[in-house]
Amino acid sequence: MNYRSPLLNVMTGAALKAAKGLIRDFGELEQLQVSKKGPADFVSRADHKSESVLRSELKKARPAYGLLMEESGERAGTDTSNRWVIDPLDGTTNFLHGIPHFSISIGLERDGEPYAGVIYSPIADEMFVAERGGGAFLNGRRLRVSGRRNVEEALFATGIPFLGLGDHGLFLKQLGAVMAVCTGVRRYGSAALDLAWVAAGRFDGFWENGLHPWDITAGIVLVREAGGFVSDLSGGRKMFSGGGVLASNAALHEPLVALVGSAARAPATAP
Ligand code: 2AM
Ligand code: CA
């Protein structure tokens, strides 16, 4: 059991430190709801503060590693094999609305492949960690993807396109195909936590179109180390080049790829 490896200690330490600020800011949000412009600006500052705590903690511990962060973009390191891929606040819309479902996602990419991941949900105080070859853990307890084998018993999570971004028609077709045959579909608003919850067996699978590396790097390691499969929406490897993400236990991976993929091939419904 190596969930307490030096690498994971560095990552969980940074996540806990950044989470302190997020918890404080989340608690203060209520007072800001009165002013119209206030909350959004405040949340964006909370996001940037979390990012700068993570950056300085990780730089202190691993000065040579590169960085890819949602807010500040890419910074090359002198160590070209290792790169942190970080979302300092995943689930920003939930945070802004006072919904306690958001996370910090810290992924480590090694030689271009997801290698380690920490996803922390500050309000639930749930720390998901995984390192390649070492298994996946939640608050120290070993994780395993769900054992469900039939689509009709499966609970899937997804992400819904917003603000006119992405292909809304395609998503509706995917949802139409999946919801017709499974036990339920959830949209909780933090892709990183969706993946962590697949690793924990809470969701049997998850798919979303067009996510960014910082949304998925940590979660990919978690799902794989918990015994699950992660691919793009067609079952291939293009998760980082616009192919979307699809994660599930081994038994449901092919059926979910078939359902989501059948939507891409289906003719558009009449208006
Ligand atoms: P973010 O909070 O880091 O922006 C889920 O669909 C993913 O999309 C989330 O992980 C979220 O990451 C991102 N997202 C960005 N804007 C969103 C919005 N308005 N509604 C829902 N998700 C959003
Ligand atoms: Ca995100």
Side-chain angles (χ1 to χ4, degrees):
M1 214 161 62
N2 79 345
Y3 77 92
R4 294 185 69 84
S5 73
L7 175 67
L8 289 175
N9 278 342
V10 163
M11 296 165 77
T12 55
L16 287 169
K17 192 152 185 191
K20 275 195 186 144
L22 287 182
I23 291 168
R24 199 171 40 240
D25 290 342
F26 188 69
E28 274 177 32
L29 251 185
E30 243 168 42
Q31 286 140 48
L32 294 167
Q33 301 294 347
V34 278
S35 112
K36 266 262 177 277
K37 187 166 172 265
D41 278 12
F42 183 79
V43 171
S44 140
R45 278 203 302 278
D47 198 351
H48 282 89
K49 269 193 290 180
S50 171
E51 184 159 303
S52 88
V53 171
L54 294 170
R55 188 191 305 116
S56 73
E57 289 300 300
L58 295 171
K59 266 227 114 46
K60 226 186 318 178
R62 297 287 188 277
Y65 286 16
L67 277 163
L68 175 64
M69 305 185 106
E70 181 172 18
E71 304 304 329
S72 55
E74 167 120 50
R75 289 182 190 202
T78 49
D79 176 341
T80 49
S81 306
N82 289 290
R83 180 170 79 150
W84 301 116
V85 184
I86 292 169
D87 192 338
L89 173 55
D90 187 54
T92 320
T93 306
N94 285 342
F95 190 100
L96 177 63
H97 286 253
I99 297 169
H101 189 79
F102 54 87
S103 61
I104 292 168
S105 177
I106 307 175
L108 178 67
E109 192 184 85
R110 183 161 288 175
D111 301 322
E113 285 289 321
Y115 179 82
V118 159
I119 296 173
Y120 184 54
S121 171
I123 305 301
D125 189 23
E126 289 193 324
M127 181 72 79
F128 298 87
V129 309
E131 183 171 352
R132 198 188 291 166
F137 299 84
L138 163 55
N139 292 351
R141 186 172 49 83
R142 183 95 194 215
L143 293 181
R144 184 85 207 143
V145 289
S146 83
R148 288 188 196 85
R149 308 185 60 80
N150 302 317
V151 168
E152 49 290 7
E153 296 167 356
L155 179 64
F156 293 120
T158 188
I160 303 176
F162 43 85
L163 287 173
L165 303 168
D167 188 335
H168 290 205
L170 174 64
F171 173 75
L172 289 172
K173 284 194 272 175
Q174 294 168 341
L175 182 63
V178 176
M179 74 185 191
V181 294
C182 73
T183 215
V185 179
R186 300 288 182 268
R187 196 285 195 249
Y188 280 3
S190 162
L193 280 178
D194 290 336
L195 287 166
W197 285 23
V198 171
R202 295 174 180 172
F203 293 138
D204 301 298
F206 164 69
W207 88 95
E208 185 161 350
N209 302 285
L211 287 166
H212 299 285
W214 45 82
D215 299 316
I216 58 174
T217 298
I220 288 173
V221 187
L222 271 154
V223 172
R224 288 182 174 159
E225 287 300 317
F229 283 20
V230 187
S231 68
D232 62 31
L233 299 184
S234 332
R237 299 173 57 83
K238 297 199 174 113
M239 299 90 81
F240 295 101
S241 44
V245 171
L246 188 147
S248 72
N249 68 24
L252 291 171
H253 191 257
E254 261 186 47
L256 188 57
V257 168
L259 285 166
V260 171
S262 73
R265 290 187 298 275
T269 42

Coordinates of all heavy atoms in Angstrom, one line a residue, residues 70 86-92 103 105 189-192 211-212 214-216, ligand 2:
E70 N -5.0 25.5 -14.9 CA -6.1 26.0 -15.6 C -6.1 27.5 -15.8 O -6.3 28.1 -16.8 CB -7.5 25.7 -14.9 CG -8.6 26.2 -15.7 CD -10.0 25.8 -15.3 OE1 -10.2 25.3 -14.2 OE2 -10.9 26.0 -16.1
I86 N -3.0 20.8 -13.3 CA -3.8 21.1 -12.1 C -5.0 22.0 -12.4 O -5.0 22.9 -13.1 CB -2.8 22.0 -11.2 CG1 -1.8 21.0 -10.6 CG2 -3.6 22.6 -10.0 CD1 -0.6 21.8 -10.0
D87 N -6.1 21.6 -11.7 CA -7.3 22.5 -11.7 C -7.4 22.9 -10.2 O -7.8 22.1 -9.3 CB -8.5 21.7 -12.2 CG -9.7 22.7 -12.4 OD1 -9.7 23.7 -11.8 OD2 -10.6 22.3 -13.2
P88 N -7.2 24.2 -9.9 CA -7.3 24.6 -8.5 C -8.7 24.7 -8.0 O -8.8 24.7 -6.7 CB -6.7 26.1 -8.6 CG -6.9 26.5 -10.0 CD -6.9 25.3 -10.9
L89 N -9.7 24.7 -8.8 CA -11.1 24.7 -8.4 C -11.9 24.1 -9.5 O -12.3 24.8 -10.5 CB -11.5 26.2 -8.0 CG -13.0 26.4 -7.7 CD1 -13.5 25.4 -6.6 CD2 -13.3 27.8 -7.3
D90 N -12.2 22.9 -9.4 CA -13.1 22.2 -10.4 C -14.5 22.2 -9.8 O -14.7 21.7 -8.7 CB -12.6 20.8 -10.7 CG -13.3 20.2 -11.8 OD1 -13.4 20.8 -12.9 OD2 -13.9 19.1 -11.7
G91 N -15.4 22.7 -10.6 CA -16.8 22.8 -10.1 C -17.1 24.3 -9.7 O -17.8 24.5 -8.7
T92 N -16.5 25.2 -10.4 CA -16.6 26.6 -10.1 C -18.0 27.1 -10.0 O -18.4 27.9 -9.1 CB -15.9 27.5 -11.1 OG1 -14.7 26.8 -11.5 CG2 -15.6 28.8 -10.7
S103 N -13.9 20.7 -6.2 CA -12.6 19.9 -5.8 C -11.4 20.6 -6.3 O -11.4 21.6 -7.1 CB -12.7 18.5 -6.4 OG -12.8 18.6 -7.8
S105 N -7.9 19.4 -8.1 CA -7.4 18.2 -8.9 C -5.9 18.5 -9.2 O -5.6 19.4 -9.9 CB -8.2 18.0 -10.1 OG -7.7 16.9 -10.8
G189 N -21.3 18.4 -11.9 CA -20.7 19.6 -12.2 C -19.2 19.8 -11.8 O -18.6 20.8 -11.9
S190 N -18.6 18.7 -11.4 CA -17.1 18.7 -11.2 C -16.6 17.4 -11.9 O -16.8 16.3 -11.4 CB -16.7 18.7 -9.8 OG -15.3 18.2 -9.6
A191 N -16.0 17.5 -13.1 CA -15.6 16.4 -13.8 C -14.5 15.6 -13.1 O -14.5 14.3 -13.1 CB -15.0 16.8 -15.2
A192 N -13.7 16.3 -12.3 CA -12.6 15.6 -11.5 C -13.3 14.7 -10.5 O -12.9 13.5 -10.4 CB -11.7 16.6 -10.8
L211 N -13.2 17.7 -22.6 CA -12.7 18.3 -21.3 C -11.2 18.7 -21.5 O -10.6 18.3 -22.5 CB -12.8 17.3 -20.2 CG -14.3 17.1 -19.7 CD1 -14.3 15.8 -18.8 CD2 -14.8 18.3 -18.9
H212 N -10.7 19.4 -20.5 CA -9.3 19.9 -20.6 C -8.4 18.9 -19.8 O -8.9 18.2 -18.9 CB -9.2 21.3 -20.1 CG -10.0 22.3 -20.8 ND1 -9.6 22.7 -22.0 CD2 -11.2 22.9 -20.5 CE1 -10.5 23.6 -22.5 NE2 -11.5 23.7 -21.6
W214 N -6.5 19.4 -17.3 CA -6.5 19.6 -15.9 C -7.8 19.1 -15.2 O -7.8 18.8 -14.0 CB -6.4 21.1 -15.5 CG -7.2 22.0 -16.3 CD1 -8.5 22.3 -16.2 CD2 -6.8 22.8 -17.5 NE1 -9.0 23.2 -17.2 CE2 -7.9 23.5 -18.0 CE3 -5.5 22.9 -18.1 CZ2 -7.8 24.3 -19.1 CZ3 -5.5 23.7 -19.2 CH2 -6.6 24.4 -19.7
D215 N -8.8 18.8 -16.0 CA -10.1 18.2 -15.5 C -9.9 16.7 -15.3 O -10.6 16.1 -14.5 CB -11.2 18.4 -16.5 CG -11.6 19.8 -16.8 OD1 -11.7 20.6 -15.8 OD2 -11.8 20.2 -17.9
I216 N -9.0 16.1 -16.1 CA -9.0 14.6 -16.2 C -7.7 13.9 -15.8 O -7.8 12.7 -15.6 CB -9.4 14.2 -17.6 CG1 -8.4 14.8 -18.7 CG2 -10.8 14.6 -17.9 CD1 -8.7 14.2 -20.1
Ligands
CA2 CA -12.3 22.1 -14.4

